[in-house]
Amino acid sequence: MAKEPVRVLVTGAAGQIGYALVPMIARGVMLGADQPVILHMLDIPPAAEALNGVKMELVDAAFPLLKGVVATTDVVEACTGVNIAVMVGGFPRKEGMERKDVMSKNVSIYKSQATALEQHAAPNCKVLVVANPANTNALILKEFAPSIPAKNITCLTRLDHNRALGQISEKLNVQVSDVKNVIIWGNHSSTQYPDVNHATVKTPSGEKPVRELVKDDAWLNGEFITTVQQRGAAIIKARKLSSALSAASAACDHIRDWVLGTPEGTWVSMGVYSDGSYNAPAGVIYSFPVTCRNGEWTIVQGLAIDEFSRKKLDLTGAELTEEKELAYSCLS
Amino acid sequence: MAKEPVRVLVTGAAGQIGYALVPMIARGVMLGADQPVILNMLDIPPAAEALNGVKMELVDAAFPLLKGVVATTDAVEACTGVNVAVMVGGFPRKEGMERKDVMSKNVSIYKSQASALEQHAAPNCKVLVVANPANTNALILKEFAPSIPAKNITCLTRLDHNRALGQISEKLNVQVSDVKNVIIWGNHSSTQYPDVNHATVMTPSGEKPVRELVKDDAWLNGEFITTVQQRGAAIIKARKLSSALSAASAACDHIRDWVLGTPEGTWVSMGVYSDGSYNAPAGVIYSFPVTCKNGEWTIVQGLAIDEFSRKKLDLTGVELTEEKELAYSCLS
């Protein structure tokens, strides 16, 4: 017997990431090949015609799993009954804008979307914030939607996690599916810390630590980190547009592993409400290594943190605390 | 034991359709969730940096099925060893261009790509031409790659087929997965004939003919046809860009059904080398209803063609014959 459809909201759906994301959702990449979906797509009024064009294309693709499409500029209609919310919409940084201005615009958006979600989403709705500043947008959403469990509000660092896997696979010339257990700590920004100290590669003679195989600590502690941190800018330089394909794909991975569970022996990176694990600041959205089971994430505890890593974890934590203060100052 | 990777070429890969298509291929939408793939991506030198950006994003997405990516401006490198070729690259019509100019540019492109494919692709390579004028580009490719079996060279009318299914599903307010066996006859242009005379809908009381359920022949013979024929323009009007998402999805459906077979009792539409079935002109690429089995397509024979349909089939056939003559005149 076919499953009941799951309702998935995508905000900012008329944009680049939305356009890459919706066909992935409609094909079952996000929730499985046997899970029917209904798409809710939200964007702002200037994008209404383009959004309707996306809806038309979704109809034109005759996706077997897609059991309905709602395209709207009304946030209440968009949020009604949704089980999953992927928040791609936000105010992009424009040339000449100060950090405070970007923060201020986004804080307003996420405060109002928090209310709509809280009042209209289905119970236990899982939320993924993609729009930057992702961690702080997610925090604002959490603060202004108090009846949504804090554990249900996350932000995307899976893109950085996947980028780190990709860099290791290229360095070692191995299949990316044989690399696992990198960690992205902290903020989805240039202070993120891509950590390979617990990452492994599957080889003919079993799982081996990445550090052992790479044999180049200078690269792992230097260029590897900056490459992953700055990869977004590198994509923009090459494409003249930001990463839509890989961001959309990572959003699907984030939700899929959260809902369907992580494979045995494997963790992933998710920006989640911090409980102070690993001495990260509590009360911010901080990216940790997590496993997922029965629709719940759990921080992987007990991993050794060396001195080099400690400094990196603290640096990105300090930035998140500053962002939280800046966000709150925008609201008062 | 894991399958050997299949090598898939996408030409024009730095463009909009390519960007939508490559993540679909990398996720198994085209060849199945258990079929590893290697992507060969080709574009022209001005797009080399953007193409490399796409390659970077494919690495960043850490797709488990994607076992390699080749990004190149060299047609020989691109074609080497490919098992499936999706030809998205072509010369787009620009404002002020005459039909003869567009045809002339594309004929040159497809003549040279024919040589590269013939000399370097794997034996039994399956070819799908997407770039417009799709049918005639495919014909030119066939004519200049004589060692590629004519049956291996096809063009995309699955997008129109899927659009027709979508329009019927919206008209009847049924799930698109319950509608089947529409037919797109002829040219992927405004003379295409979307035919519902043999289409059915799965209802609680069994399969019912579309005509019987719609009860509106004026609509089926009028607005329905023109809506499907002109849908591309409607998408451009709404999005200010042409249909990338739905075209990419249809390309995946076309190849998947060709390689893995059509479901029992269901046919699809493909532009194939005409043998004169249904009195269509022989020796052009004409869209027919086909079933697929063991990697081969077969035209569904014996379907009744009424007088209204006969005129439509002939009209689009005449246009294809004219395009063939125009194409040849461009070459001499």
Side-chain angles (χ1 to χ4, degrees):
Chain A
M1 193 171 129
K3 294 180 174 183
E4 277 305 295
V6 169
R7 248 176 229 275
V8 181
L9 165 64
V10 177
T11 70
Q16 302 259 347
I17 294 179
Y19 195 65
L21 181 57
V22 296
M24 293 178 185
I25 296 170
R27 282 282 190 188
V29 174
M30 180 175 272
L31 295 169
D34 60 346
Q35 176 58 66
V37 295
I38 294 170
L39 267 168
H40 284 215
M41 303 195 295
L42 173 71
D43 219 304
I44 54 175
E49 203 183 0
L51 187 67
N52 195 49
V54 181
K55 177 176 178 175
M56 289 163 72
E57 283 211 71
L58 288 170
V59 171
D60 290 353
F63 291 116
L65 279 181
L66 186 59
K67 300 305 180 186
V69 184
V70 173
T72 181
T73 56
D74 175 357
V75 69
V76 171
E77 184 184 5
C79 290
T80 299
V82 300
N83 309 107
I84 308 251
V86 187
M87 320 294 282
V88 181
F91 203 97
R93 180 177 216 137
K94 300 195 174 151
E95 205 150 0
M97 275 178 85
E98 294 287 336
R99 193 158 166 257
K100 192 175 166 62
D101 305 319
V102 185
M103 182 67 75
S104 176
K105 294 273 190 205
N106 278 292
V107 157
S108 308
I109 291 170
Y110 278 84
K111 181 180 172 192
S112 78
Q113 304 227 306
T115 307
L117 261 183
E118 183 180 50
Q119 290 173 15
H120 301 282
N124 206 28
C125 176
K126 287 176 160 57
V127 183
L128 167 61
V129 176
V130 177
N132 283 318
N135 301 56
T136 302
N137 285 341
L139 182 67
I140 293 302
L141 200 151
K142 179 252 169 227
E143 297 289 317
F144 289 94
S147 69
I148 298 182
K151 65 187 172 81
N152 280 11
I153 300 177
T154 65
C155 83
L156 190 71
T157 53
R158 183 59 174 269
L159 177 52
D160 314 282
H161 181 104
N162 287 350
R163 284 169 171 166
L165 293 176
Q167 289 303 303
I168 298 298
S169 81
E170 290 211 303
K171 182 74 169 178
L172 292 173
N173 198 25
V174 297
Q175 289 302 327
V176 72
S177 46
D178 289 334
V179 187
K180 67 177 189 178
N181 294 351
V182 299
I183 303 164
I184 303 295
W185 297 99
N187 198 4
H188 175 66
S189 73
S190 56
T191 68
Q192 62 174 266
Y193 172 44
D195 171 7
V196 299
N197 290 311
H198 307 279
T200 60
V201 181
K202 184 196 280 206
T203 73
S205 38
E207 306 264 354
K208 300 285 181 205
V210 162
R211 260 192 206 282
E212 205 178 282
L213 293 172
V214 169
K215 297 197 216 333
D216 189 347
D217 284 348
W219 182 79
L220 284 170
N221 296 344
E223 196 186 321
F224 162 75
I225 289 175
T226 54
T227 296
V228 175
Q229 287 172 340
Q230 297 165 15
R231 188 67 161 185
I235 300 296
I236 291 176
K237 184 167 181 290
R239 296 193 62 236
K240 309 296 180 275
L241 290 164
S242 56
S243 342
L245 183 162
S246 47
S249 191
C252 289
D253 290 340
H254 174 115
I255 297 290
R256 188 200 59 246
D257 287 348
W258 187 3
V259 171
L260 299 179
T262 43
E264 188 69 37
T266 301
W267 63 67
V268 294
S269 301
M270 284 174 64
V272 296
Y273 193 65
S274 171
D275 61 355
S277 291
Y278 293 100
N279 259 5
V284 293
I285 305 283
Y286 192 102
S287 182
F288 289 100
V290 302
T291 54
C292 303
R293 194 167 172 216
N294 298 329
E296 307 258 337
W297 53 264
T298 308
I299 294 173
V300 177
Q301 299 291 354
L303 298 172
I305 306 296
D306 65 18
E307 205 185 312
F308 177 89
S309 300
R310 183 73 255 154
K311 293 199 177 81
K312 298 275 187 198
L313 264 73
D314 292 342
L315 195 76
T316 187
E319 185 183 58
L320 280 167
T321 303
E322 276 172 27
E323 281 191 19
K324 179 176 180 174
E325 285 159 9
L326 179 59
Y328 272 93
S329 78
C330 292
L331 287 164
S332 52
Chain B
M1 194 173 129
K3 293 180 174 183
E4 278 304 296
V6 169
R7 210 173 267 272
V8 181
L9 166 65
V10 176
T11 70
Q16 303 258 346
I17 295 179
Y19 195 66
L21 180 56
V22 295
M24 294 178 185
I25 296 170
R27 284 281 189 187
V29 174
M30 180 175 272
L31 294 169
D34 60 345
Q35 176 58 65
V37 294
I38 295 169
L39 267 167
N40 280 24
M41 303 195 295
L42 174 70
D43 217 305
I44 54 174
E49 202 183 359
L51 187 66
N52 195 49
V54 181
K55 177 176 177 175
M56 289 163 71
E57 283 212 71
L58 288 170
V59 171
D60 291 352
F63 291 116
L65 279 181
L66 186 58
K67 300 305 181 187
V69 183
V70 174
T72 181
T73 56
D74 175 357
V76 171
E77 184 183 4
C79 290
T80 299
V82 301
N83 309 107
V84 176
V86 186
M87 320 296 281
V88 179
F91 203 96
R93 181 178 214 135
K94 302 200 172 145
E95 206 151 359
M97 275 177 87
E98 294 288 336
R99 192 159 166 258
K100 192 174 165 64
D101 305 318
V102 185
M103 181 67 75
S104 176
K105 295 274 190 202
N106 278 292
V107 157
S108 309
I109 291 171
Y110 277 84
K111 182 179 170 191
S112 80
Q113 304 228 305
S115 302
L117 262 184
E118 183 181 48
Q119 289 169 29
H120 301 283
N124 206 29
C125 175
K126 287 176 160 55
V127 184
L128 166 61
V129 176
V130 176
N132 281 319
N135 301 56
T136 301
N137 284 341
L139 182 67
I140 293 301
L141 200 151
K142 180 252 169 228
E143 297 288 316
F144 288 95
S147 69
I148 298 182
K151 65 186 173 79
N152 280 13
I153 299 177
T154 64
C155 82
L156 190 72
T157 53
R158 183 60 173 269
L159 177 54
D160 314 282
H161 181 104
N162 287 349
R163 285 168 170 167
L165 294 175
Q167 290 303 304
I168 297 299
S169 80
E170 290 212 303
K171 182 74 170 178
L172 292 173
N173 197 25
V174 298
Q175 288 301 328
V176 73
S177 46
D178 289 332
V179 187
K180 67 177 190 180
N181 294 351
V182 298
I183 303 165
I184 302 295
W185 297 99
N187 198 5
H188 175 66
S189 72
S190 56
T191 68
Q192 61 173 267
Y193 172 44
D195 172 5
V196 299
N197 290 311
H198 306 280
T200 60
V201 181
M202 170 78 83
T203 74
S205 37
E207 306 262 357
K208 300 286 180 205
V210 163
R211 259 192 206 281
E212 204 177 284
L213 294 171
V214 169
K215 297 197 215 332
D216 189 346
D217 284 348
W219 182 79
L220 283 170
N221 296 344
E223 195 187 322
F224 162 74
I225 290 176
T226 54
T227 295
V228 176
Q229 286 173 340
Q230 297 164 14
R231 188 67 161 185
I235 301 296
I236 291 176
K237 184 168 181 292
R239 296 193 62 236
K240 309 295 181 277
L241 290 164
S242 56
S243 344
L245 182 162
S246 49
S249 191
C252 288
D253 289 340
H254 174 114
I255 296 289
R256 187 199 61 245
D257 287 348
W258 187 2
V259 171
L260 299 179
T262 43
E264 189 69 37
T266 302
W267 64 66
V268 294
S269 301
M270 286 174 63
V272 297
Y273 193 64
S274 171
D275 60 355
S277 291
Y278 294 99
N279 259 5
V284 293
I285 305 284
Y286 192 101
S287 183
F288 287 101
V290 300
T291 54
C292 302
K293 197 179 174 192
N294 297 327
E296 308 257 336
W297 54 264
T298 308
I299 294 173
V300 177
Q301 299 290 355
L303 298 172
I305 306 295
D306 64 17
E307 204 185 313
F308 177 89
S309 301
R310 182 74 255 155
K311 292 198 176 82
K312 298 275 187 197
L313 263 73
D314 292 341
L315 195 76
T316 187
V318 163
E319 185 182 58
L320 280 168
T321 305
E322 280 173 18
E323 282 192 17
K324 179 177 182 174
E325 287 161 8
L326 178 59
Y328 272 93
S329 78
C330 293
L331 287 164
S332 50

